[in-house]
Amino acid sequence: MAITVRYFASLKESLEKSEDEISGSEDAPLSAKKVWQIANPEKQLPENILVAINMDYATLDDLVQDGDEVAFFPPVTGG
Amino acid sequence: MQVKIYPEDFDPFLEIQSYQKQLSDIAGSYGATSIFIGTMRDFSDGQHVEAMTLEYYPGMTEKQLQKFIVEAQQRWQIFDALVVHRVGLIAPDQTIVLVAVWASHRGDAFDASRYIIEALKSKAPFWKKETLATNEERWITENTNGYLQKKD
């Protein structure tokens, strides 16, 4: 199993990393929340964080498959 | 439709002109072009802002912007739309965003361009970090709803 996890903006700065690769014995599919817990075992997911799976908005309960890309980021502020 | 992400300063009026020249197949059909240009201010929350850094999610940002245009095309009778957005280090008075929509009539052009900019503001993955005159940096934490009237 291989899942790419990406972080952006203030979340990236507070975690001091922009990306994780999850691989190993965990069986896919996993919920996005489980992906966060595996990638950040010591850290609770901050409030208001948004989730995307394969570049589409998702929820923490949505399932992540082998090979997917999951992103976590704060509310957007463009334009 | 076209979506562009620029890492450097761009001239929104040249972008409109250049894109409209490519619309020769619908020339004579569109009677309304609605344009929104967002420009960087030098103040925010009562403080002077020296510069701003705009981060984005390459791939997802473009995908979402294209989706907003398709949604606008499904809701209103429009011929075409152009969205250009700046990323990287931005100085006051530089353009942040351009939305242009071509339609037969102004109602569709206005409404579709409004829809696209409001969707961009609330859903496109961009994040702004301001650099204040004190060199302090702060992330903007949320965008306001543009449909709500400001009280001040």
Side-chain angles (χ1 to χ4, degrees):
Chain A
M1 185 198 67
I3 291 168
T4 303
V5 191
R6 302 186 68 183
Y7 312 101
F8 291 91
S10 55
L11 182 65
K12 176 175 76 177
E13 285 188 356
S14 66
L15 294 173
E16 298 181 325
K17 61 182 176 182
S18 61
E19 203 170 306
D20 275 316
E21 288 289 333
I22 295 180
S23 56
S25 56
E26 293 280 351
D27 282 330
L30 303 168
S31 69
K33 189 172 189 177
K34 183 74 182 165
V35 169
W36 169 273
Q37 288 165 350
I38 294 169
N40 301 280
E42 305 297 318
K43 287 203 166 76
Q44 208 168 0
L45 184 67
E47 277 184 33
N48 297 329
I49 291 298
L50 303 171
V51 187
I53 300 174
N54 295 331
M55 302 185 178
D56 278 316
Y57 280 102
T59 69
L60 287 170
D61 295 326
D62 283 335
L63 296 177
V64 182
Q65 306 289 341
D66 189 15
D68 283 354
E69 177 172 298
V70 187
F72 296 95
F73 47 79
V76 302
T77 55
Chain B
M1 105 173 64
Q2 189 170 41
V3 166
K4 289 163 98 172
I5 307 290
Y6 266 131
E8 282 166 13
D9 191 26
F10 69 95
D11 182 332
F13 301 100
L14 288 179
E15 290 291 327
I16 297 161
Q17 203 173 37
S18 153
Y19 193 70
Q20 185 165 294
K21 278 185 188 158
Q22 299 169 37
L23 303 180
S24 52
D25 55 329
I26 56 164
S29 302
Y30 57 83
T33 308
S34 176
I35 293 157
F36 174 84
I37 295 170
T39 306
M40 189 187 152
R41 292 184 304 258
D42 65 2
F43 64 94
S44 166
D45 275 342
Q47 288 193 275
H48 184 79
V49 179
E50 290 280 310
M52 195 163 69
T53 307
L54 242 157
E55 183 176 332
Y56 77 119
Y57 182 175
M60 179 169 176
T61 303
E62 294 90 334
K63 187 177 179 180
Q64 295 299 313
L65 294 175
Q66 282 160 2
K67 189 168 158 245
F68 306 150
I69 296 175
V70 169
E71 288 167 356
Q73 285 170 328
Q74 288 165 349
R75 278 181 74 172
W76 293 280
Q77 293 286 319
I78 62 173
F79 288 115
D80 214 323
L82 167 68
V83 176
V84 186
H85 204 291
R86 183 67 197 286
V87 292
L89 188 65
I90 306 176
D93 202 37
Q94 290 187 338
T95 303
I96 299 172
V97 61
L98 160 68
V99 174
V101 170
W102 287 263
S104 289
H105 304 289
R106 67 185 181 282
D108 290 324
F110 273 130
D111 290 351
S113 59
R114 184 80 192 265
Y115 175 82
I116 293 168
I117 185 63
E118 296 301 340
L120 183 156
K121 288 284 234 181
S122 62
K123 291 184 278 188
F126 291 104
W127 301 274
K128 285 175 185 155
K129 183 159 75 172
E130 295 172 336
T131 305
L132 306 179
T134 55
N135 267 340
E136 182 196 339
E137 290 185 332
R138 65 179 181 194
W139 287 98
I140 296 180
T141 53
E142 62 178 357
N143 270 346
T144 51
N145 181 343
Y147 286 109
L148 297 177
Q149 295 234 333
K150 287 201 88 168
K151 286 177 188 150
D152 54 337

